[in-house]
């Protein structure tokens, strides 16, 4: 079907020959991004195109779908047949290679079937040019002119194609993510090009006194004659080294180099890469030049870190990671790209900064996400670990369109295997220098079939050195046991679940994806995504913004049931949202806390998910608009490096420590217990010493069981408060139907009664704010004899919108009777920022 759509008469794009950033004079070693001046068109529709992104993304930015595409159920009303035709991307650029130069057009990601034309000459055909995760290079030396026109004609992926996948996290992309989804570059060289620079560090983790680098530089001779060149390596202040190389006519060869070949590859007193919580994420840059007869032929570089990533299986069969010889507990969440692939460097930087702000140390990238390397570069520079791999959308017939075979997923034909192998090679090579990347998972819910995995393993042995893991589930393949688990839950379970379950998601091993289901956005975001007339009572417009799963988690039913069960119901929109925030805060916090308390039996926990591809109510620590959820602050509290945590199983309070210092911390722990009417009924202070990965019992709260109560905890040192924490505990915990647990939830048969938390009466809380210019100090004082259970602070601009980002030192926190608490807030620049306390 061709595209039968209305023309956007307001958008007339004229292709120019002087696109910003594109050189008219070519210099050997240039890698010129072709990222401006693009249009995308089909049957009378022509809009300015963002490259990289998708066709639907460019139409969305151009206003083609109207202002309210993502509001309510409007998304499902779009006529997707407009994407059945051929969409043509075009741009123009200036410059041709000089005599003796070679030019190569490089596409990092075309989705899905592509025909490529340069100056009217076809250089790629869709019968062979299909698939998304492949880097494609075309020699265009003889086709370039002073003024050039580039056209890429695309057709969308079909059922059975190995496409980008969002599975059931949100509705499918309107266009199946069709587009130029990764960068396009014009690479100009002399006779010899640099194809890849690969650095493998070897750090002495006993003394940290030395490190040795193994470097592999892949060169390609583009001439039909032998060429003698000089390979020059540079390591900043570490100096340079030169190595002569002779390449035969048309030869591509990898040149391995060690400190025996170049002394600069031995480093004394190296600057070591650590995650931000354990040290400094130190980076090095290795520059490469290739010179022929004293003239530059090409350049390359690799940014890398000196560190050692290792893993082992514990006695219980779970995978334990070490960083530079230190055992670490992986605490992370699962990333998704924007549904239109419209993430920007600014939005990605904000999100990785959010990860640090929550005290997490890992992002899981299930789908080799990222339309470029920005997110991985930020993980490198900010010290956040990255777990990368393939997604489950190729493992389930409903999503992929290919049949599942013998528990191996859907990639089982020669054609699909060949494509997957190309994907794997190009993505491993793409990421193999990033120090943040700790491992590759070649399966999510399944394992690759043995024939396919043999090819994966051969590639991995040649192109990477970090742990290879066959699946996110506890499965065994040619590579051995995965050492992971993925048994859910994905829907609401109470805080006590994480301590009491013994078979599925609770605190043992490495849970690679799990969570409590709905992580409700703040009210300001809800008003953007749900039409005003559909906000209350709860409607199917809310349900449409849950998950797209056909079996569960596709409505607010469970969340309503939970709020009713825990808090005795809700009275209107604001009351429902506030109580849903309490559900999210307590449930998400407990998940991370349980995995900290149970170290070393626990090795990792990944919240499903970190973010959302579109405006959503489920699986997110901050929403599509960039606003943190209550679960964000619950996670931040749970993962403070040094903290006091309550164990719902044995009713004890533990001190935990994951801070960088080697010496045990000497602290004072304070406990205050209040009854359901906010009367102080118990108080205790103890000294506690806790070292790295220490879990030390401090208080036993069994004597308070049987009656509802509040628990306030604080750790202090000689400089004052180190951390605080607070629990609202029912007289009786939740009851679970353990025998009817399934892949996504363990049913709750009766709920612990937490209604007293919101029955304290209206607290008189004063708000005092100082500061401006994006940095605020905010003091709340509770002048009441009752606990003010959940105090929600909001930074708003002049129009009443929540400022994004806003980094609160603490939020969604309680205040004890008579207590004052000061928190800080750093905001993005905005006009007339003011601070509000949510009523």
């Amino acid at each position: 079907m061709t595209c039968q759509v209305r023309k956007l008469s307001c958008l007339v794009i004229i292709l120019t020959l002087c696109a910003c950033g594109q050189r008219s004079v070519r210099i050997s070693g240039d890698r010129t991004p072709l990222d401006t001046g693009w249009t995308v068109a089909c049957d009378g529709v022509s809009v300015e195109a963002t490259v990289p992104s998708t066709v639907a993304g460019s139409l969305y930015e151009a206003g083609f779908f109207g202002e309210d595409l993502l509001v309510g159920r409007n998304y499902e009303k779009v006529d997707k047949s407009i994407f059945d035709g051929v969409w043509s991307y075009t741009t123009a650029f200036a410059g041709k290679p000089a005599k003796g130069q070679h030019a190569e057009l490089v596409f990092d990601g075309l989705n899905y079937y592509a025909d490529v034309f340069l100056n009217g000459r076809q250089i790629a055909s869709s019968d062979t040019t299909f698939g998304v995760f492949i880097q494609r290079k075309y020699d265009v030396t003889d086709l370039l002119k002073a003024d050039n026109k580039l056209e890429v004609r695309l057709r969308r992926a079909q059922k059975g194609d190995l496409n980008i996948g969002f599975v059931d996290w949100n509705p499918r992309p309107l266009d199946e993510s069709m587009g130029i989804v990764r960068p396009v570059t014009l690479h100009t060289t002399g006779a010899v090009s640099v194809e890849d620079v690969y650095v493998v560090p070897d750090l002495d983790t006993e003394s940290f006194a030395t490190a040795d680098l193994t470097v592999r530089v892949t060169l390609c001779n583009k001439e039909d004659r032998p060429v003698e060149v000089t390979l020059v390596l540079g390591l900043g202040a570490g100096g340079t080294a030169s190595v002569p190389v002779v390449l035969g006519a048309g030869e591509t060869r990898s040149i391995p180099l060690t400190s025996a070949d170049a002394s600069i590859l031995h480093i004394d007193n190296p600057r070591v890469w650590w995650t931000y919580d354990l040290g400094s994420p130190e980076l090095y840059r290795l520059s490469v030049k290739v010179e022929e007869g004293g003239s530059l032929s090409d350049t390359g570089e690799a940014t890398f870190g000196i560190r050692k990533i290792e893993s082992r299986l514990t006695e219980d069969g779970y995978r334990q990671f070490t960083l530079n010889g230190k055992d670490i507990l992986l605490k992370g969440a699962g990333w998704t790209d924007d549904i239109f692939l419209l993430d920007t460097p600014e939005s990605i930087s904000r999100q990785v900064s959010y990860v640090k702000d929550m005290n997490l140390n890992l992002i899981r990238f299930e789908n080799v996400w990222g339309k470029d390397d920005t997110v991985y570069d930020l993980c490198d520079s900010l010290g956040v670990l990255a777990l990368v791999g393939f997604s489950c959308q190729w493992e389930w017939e409903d999503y992929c369109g290919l049949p599942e075979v013998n528990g191996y997923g859907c990639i089982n034909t020669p054609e699909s295997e060949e494509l997957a192998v190309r994907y794997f090679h190009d993505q491993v090579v793409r990421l193999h220098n990033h120090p943040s990347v700790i491992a590759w998972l070649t399966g999510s819910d399944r394992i690759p079939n043995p024939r396919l995995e043999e090819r994966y393993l051969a590639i991995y042995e040649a192109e990477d050195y970090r742990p290879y893991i066959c699946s996110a589930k506890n499965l065994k393949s040619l590579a051995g046991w995965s050492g992971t688990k993925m048994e859910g839950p994905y829907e609401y379970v109470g805080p006590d679940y994480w301590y009491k379950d013994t078979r599925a998601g609770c605190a043992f091993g490495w849970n690679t994806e799990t969570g409590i289901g709905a992580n409700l956005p703040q009210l300001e975001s809800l008003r953007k995504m749900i039409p005003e007339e559909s906000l209350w009572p709860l409607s199917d417009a809310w349900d449409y913004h849950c998950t797209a799963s056909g079996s569960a988690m596709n409505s607010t039913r469970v969340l309503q049931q939970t709020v009713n069960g825990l808090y005795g119901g809700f009275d209107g929109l604001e009351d429902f949202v506030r109580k849903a925030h309490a559900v999210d805060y307590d449930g998400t916090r407990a998940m991370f806390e349980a995995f900290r308390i149970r170290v070393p039996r626990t090795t990792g926990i990944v919240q499903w998910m970190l973010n959302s591809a579109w405006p959503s109510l489920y699986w997110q620590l901050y929403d599509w608009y960039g606003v943190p959820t209550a679960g964000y602050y619950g996670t931040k509290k749970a993962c403070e490096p040094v903290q006091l945590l309550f164990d719902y199983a044995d009713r004890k309070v533990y001190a935990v420590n994951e801070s960088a210092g080697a010496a045990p911390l000497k602290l004072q722990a304070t406990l205050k217990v209040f009854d359901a009417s906010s009367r102080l009924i118990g108080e205790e202070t103890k000294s506690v010493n806790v070292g790295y990965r220490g879990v030390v019992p401090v208080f036993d709260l069994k004597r308070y069981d049987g009656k509802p109560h509040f628990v306030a905890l604080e750790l202090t040192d000689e400089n004052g408060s180190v951390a605080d924490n607070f629990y609202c505990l029912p007289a009786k915990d939740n009851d679970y139907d353990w025998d009817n647990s399934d892949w996504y939830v363990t049913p709750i048969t009766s709920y612990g009664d937490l209604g007293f938390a919101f029955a304290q009466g209206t607290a008189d809380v004063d708000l005092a704010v100082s500061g401006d210019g994006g940095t605020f100090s905010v003091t709340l004082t509770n002048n009441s004899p009752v606990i003010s259970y959940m105090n929600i602070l909001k930074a708003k601009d002049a129009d009443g919108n929540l400022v994004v980002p806003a980094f609160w030192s603490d939020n969604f926190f309680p205040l004890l009777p008579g207590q004052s608490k000061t928190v800080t807030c750093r905001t993005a620049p905005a006009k007339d920022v003011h601070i509000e306390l949510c009523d």
Side-chain angles (χ1 to χ4, degrees):
M1 180 183 294
T2 58
C3 302
Q4 303 297 323
V5 293
R6 60 187 176 85
K7 183 176 180 180
L8 296 181
S9 58
C10 62
L11 288 170
V12 179
I13 308 299
I14 300 174
L15 296 177
T16 66
L17 301 179
C18 54
C20 177
Q22 299 172 5
R23 293 181 185 269
S24 58
V25 177
R26 297 284 157 224
I27 298 174
S28 293
D30 268 359
R31 286 174 171 81
T32 306
L34 303 182
D35 56 1
T36 59
W38 288 91
T39 63
V40 64
C42 178
D43 278 6
V45 174
S46 181
V47 301
E48 184 176 356
T50 295
V51 171
S53 79
T54 65
V55 172
S58 292
L59 292 176
Y60 175 73
E61 285 192 308
F64 177 79
F65 303 111
E67 296 180 357
D68 297 329
L69 173 66
L70 304 183
V71 177
R73 303 184 69 105
N74 292 336
Y75 187 88
E76 68 178 349
K77 300 173 185 177
V78 173
D79 180 5
K80 296 182 182 180
S81 68
I82 66 172
F83 301 110
D84 289 343
V86 176
W87 286 80
S88 294
Y89 283 82
T90 53
T91 191
F93 60 95
K96 58 185 287 187
K99 184 178 180 180
Q101 287 184 327
H102 297 262
E104 196 170 51
L105 197 58
V106 182
F107 294 93
D108 285 344
L110 297 173
N111 195 3
Y112 191 82
Y113 294 91
D115 294 281
V116 182
F117 299 82
L118 179 62
N119 295 328
R121 180 79 65 85
Q122 186 165 8
I123 62 174
S125 173
S126 58
D127 58 349
T128 56
T129 309
F130 56 87
V132 60
F133 296 116
I134 296 175
Q135 185 184 72
R136 304 181 186 276
K137 300 180 179 182
Y138 303 99
D139 188 336
V140 295
T141 304
D142 297 332
L143 294 180
L144 288 178
K145 304 175 182 179
D147 300 323
N148 302 283
K149 179 181 178 180
L150 177 61
E151 181 182 10
V152 180
R153 300 175 188 170
L154 290 169
R155 288 181 290 116
R156 67 174 179 83
Q158 303 297 315
K159 182 178 180 180
D161 289 333
L162 303 186
N163 191 17
I164 293 173
F166 292 85
V167 198
D168 58 0
W169 314 337
N170 44 258
R172 291 180 80 112
L174 298 170
D175 58 354
E176 299 296 325
S177 301
M178 171 174 53
I180 302 176
V181 297
R182 286 187 175 165
V184 184
T185 308
L186 184 65
H187 182 196
T188 305
T189 74
V192 175
S193 64
V194 178
E195 299 298 304
D196 183 47
V197 181
Y198 175 37
V199 181
V200 179
D202 183 16
L203 173 66
D204 175 8
T205 56
E206 292 295 324
S207 67
F208 292 91
T210 63
D212 287 279
L213 310 179
T214 298
V215 173
R216 190 190 69 193
V217 181
T218 302
L219 303 178
C220 176
N221 179 9
K222 298 180 177 298
E223 299 284 347
D224 57 4
R225 59 178 174 84
V227 175
E228 183 176 348
V229 296
T230 301
L231 178 61
V232 182
L233 307 180
L235 203 56
T240 62
S242 298
V243 179
V245 178
V246 178
L247 295 172
E251 180 185 7
T252 297
R253 192 195 326 156
S254 293
I255 315 297
L257 300 168
T258 68
S259 57
D261 306 295
S263 61
I264 65 169
L265 301 183
H266 174 82
I267 301 174
D268 290 320
N269 302 312
R271 295 180 288 107
V272 177
W273 190 94
W274 290 95
T275 51
Y276 73 91
D277 53 332
L278 295 178
S280 177
E282 297 289 340
L283 295 175
Y284 285 81
R285 178 178 173 272
L286 178 70
S287 64
V288 173
K289 293 191 296 183
V290 178
E291 297 175 346
E292 182 191 12
S295 297
L296 181 66
S297 180
D298 199 10
T299 63
E301 66 176 33
T303 299
F304 65 96
I306 295 177
R307 54 94 184 92
K308 181 168 285 189
I309 290 285
E310 298 172 295
S311 73
R312 67 181 187 275
L313 294 185
T314 67
E315 292 181 358
D316 295 325
Y318 290 104
R319 191 170 296 273
Q320 173 67 61
F321 277 87
T322 66
L323 174 62
N324 302 326
K326 269 182 179 285
D327 283 355
I328 55 175
L329 175 66
L330 299 177
K331 303 182 296 292
W335 177 281
T336 178
D337 283 354
D338 173 75
I339 196 169
F340 298 120
L341 305 189
L342 286 174
D343 293 302
T344 64
E346 294 75 21
S347 72
I348 295 170
S349 176
R350 176 184 71 231
Q351 294 181 78
V352 180
S353 295
Y354 276 164
V355 171
K356 283 187 61 177
D357 187 56
M358 285 185 281
N359 301 305
L360 299 176
N361 61 10
L362 172 79
I363 301 175
R364 181 183 171 197
F365 297 93
E366 182 180 332
N367 198 51
V368 202
W369 288 115
K371 63 182 185 179
D372 56 26
D373 275 9
T374 298
V375 68
Y376 302 100
D377 291 339
L378 283 164
C379 286
D380 294 343
S381 62
L382 295 178
V384 174
L385 298 170
L387 177 66
V388 298
F390 285 163
S391 171
C392 68
Q393 86 265 6
W394 301 335
E395 298 173 340
W396 298 101
E397 186 171 352
D398 287 349
Y399 303 132
C400 180
L402 296 175
E404 303 166 35
V405 177
N406 297 330
Y408 295 125
C410 302
I411 305 175
N412 297 289
T413 64
E415 296 78 14
S416 62
E417 288 176 13
E418 187 63 34
L419 188 58
V421 166
R422 291 191 66 185
Y423 284 3
F424 186 66
H425 174 274
D426 286 6
Q427 299 315 304
V428 169
V429 170
R430 170 195 173 200
L431 298 175
H432 60 187
N433 285 318
H434 287 282
S436 57
V437 174
I438 61 167
W440 262 88
L441 291 103
T442 51
S444 177
D445 301 26
R446 306 293 184 88
I447 59 173
N449 72 59
R451 181 178 58 248
L452 177 59
E453 188 172 40
E454 281 185 355
R455 300 180 69 183
Y456 284 165
L457 289 169
I459 291 169
Y460 206 71
E461 183 179 0
E463 301 294 348
D464 213 316
Y465 60 94
R466 291 160 286 206
Y468 168 102
I469 304 171
C470 65
S471 178
K473 292 188 76 169
N474 189 24
L475 297 173
K476 187 179 183 181
S477 75
L478 296 177
W481 284 103
S482 63
T484 60
K485 71 172 184 178
M486 197 177 71
E487 306 299 330
Y490 298 90
E491 185 58 279
Y492 181 76
V493 291
D496 49 355
Y497 166 90
W498 303 100
Y499 296 87
K500 296 179 179 179
D501 167 57
T502 59
R503 293 178 291 184
C506 104
F508 59 91
W510 177 19
N511 197 337
T512 58
E513 55 180 66
T514 191
I516 64 162
N519 306 108
L520 204 69
Q522 296 192 46
L523 189 56
E524 290 79 1
S525 292
L526 288 169
R527 292 190 183 281
K528 292 180 179 180
M529 59 195 283
I530 309 294
E532 189 66 32
E533 66 274 12
S534 302
L535 268 172
W536 196 259
L538 299 177
S539 65
D540 64 353
W542 287 68
D543 296 344
Y544 190 66
H545 289 267
C546 296
T547 80
S549 170
S551 56
M553 302 161 290
N554 49 22
S555 77
T556 62
R557 179 185 59 83
V558 171
L559 181 59
Q560 293 184 65
Q561 177 181 306
T562 302
V563 172
N564 274 318
L566 292 176
Y567 299 110
F570 44 89
D571 182 17
L573 175 64
E574 289 78 7
D575 189 45
F576 173 74
V577 171
R578 180 180 287 273
K579 289 173 179 174
H581 287 333
V583 168
D584 184 12
Y585 186 103
D586 287 347
T588 304
R589 176 184 61 171
M591 177 179 69
F592 283 102
E593 289 184 345
F595 275 74
R596 296 190 71 191
I597 286 177
R598 298 296 169 84
V599 166
R601 191 172 180 229
T602 53
T603 61
I605 173 69
V606 179
Q607 148 79 14
W608 198 252
M609 301 176 65
L610 174 66
N611 56 350
S612 290
W614 86 312
S616 177
L617 309 182
Y618 260 74
W619 298 343
Q620 59 193 353
L621 294 177
Y622 50 88
D623 65 30
W624 186 77
Y625 306 100
V627 177
T629 63
Y632 179 107
Y633 297 105
T635 300
K636 181 182 174 81
K637 180 66 65 177
C639 297
E640 288 184 20
V642 184
Q643 185 56 285
L644 289 172
L645 310 176
F646 174 68
D647 187 318
Y648 282 78
D650 67 11
R651 319 306 285 183
K652 292 180 181 179
V653 172
Y654 291 86
V656 298
N657 177 13
E658 291 179 276
S659 62
L665 298 176
K666 298 181 179 181
L667 304 166
Q668 289 288 110
T670 299
L671 163 73
K672 292 183 179 180
V673 180
F674 298 81
D675 68 12
S677 299
S678 297
R679 292 186 294 263
L680 183 65
I681 58 173
E683 188 170 7
E684 195 173 351
T685 299
K686 286 187 177 181
S687 296
V688 58
N689 293 352
V690 56
Y692 177 69
R693 284 173 61 86
V695 180
V696 178
V698 183
F699 302 114
D700 191 329
L701 303 188
K702 291 188 187 73
R703 62 187 180 278
Y704 298 105
D705 286 353
K707 294 182 179 180
H709 55 287
F710 299 100
V711 174
L713 303 166
E714 187 174 21
L715 274 175
T716 58
D717 62 13
E718 65 273 13
N719 297 314
S721 183
V722 172
D724 60 16
N725 213 342
F726 184 89
Y727 297 89
C728 176
L729 301 178
K732 180 178 178 295
D733 286 347
N734 301 302
D735 287 324
Y736 293 89
D737 186 358
W738 299 108
D739 290 337
N740 283 313
S741 298
D742 58 26
W743 66 272
Y744 72 94
V745 74
T746 296
I748 298 176
T749 56
S750 67
Y751 291 85
D753 183 2
L754 295 174
F756 67 97
F758 289 101
Q760 298 300 295
T762 302
D764 176 16
V765 178
D766 287 340
L767 168 71
V769 181
S770 61
D772 55 24
T775 301
F776 299 91
S777 178
V778 181
T779 299
L780 295 183
T781 302
N782 181 7
N783 300 309
S784 309
V786 296
I787 290 171
S788 179
Y789 179 51
M790 180 172 286
N791 297 277
I792 304 173
L793 291 163
K794 299 175 184 267
K796 294 187 175 183
D797 63 18
D799 297 321
N801 297 310
L802 292 174
V803 179
V804 174
F807 293 95
W808 289 94
S809 61
D810 199 2
N811 208 338
F812 289 71
F813 56 82
L815 288 172
L816 305 180
Q819 182 185 10
S820 287
K821 181 169 181 172
T822 299
V823 296
T824 60
C825 179
R826 295 183 292 108
T827 70
K831 185 178 180 181
D832 297 329
V833 176
H834 61 284
I835 305 298
E836 295 181 3
L837 175 62
C838 183
D839 293 331

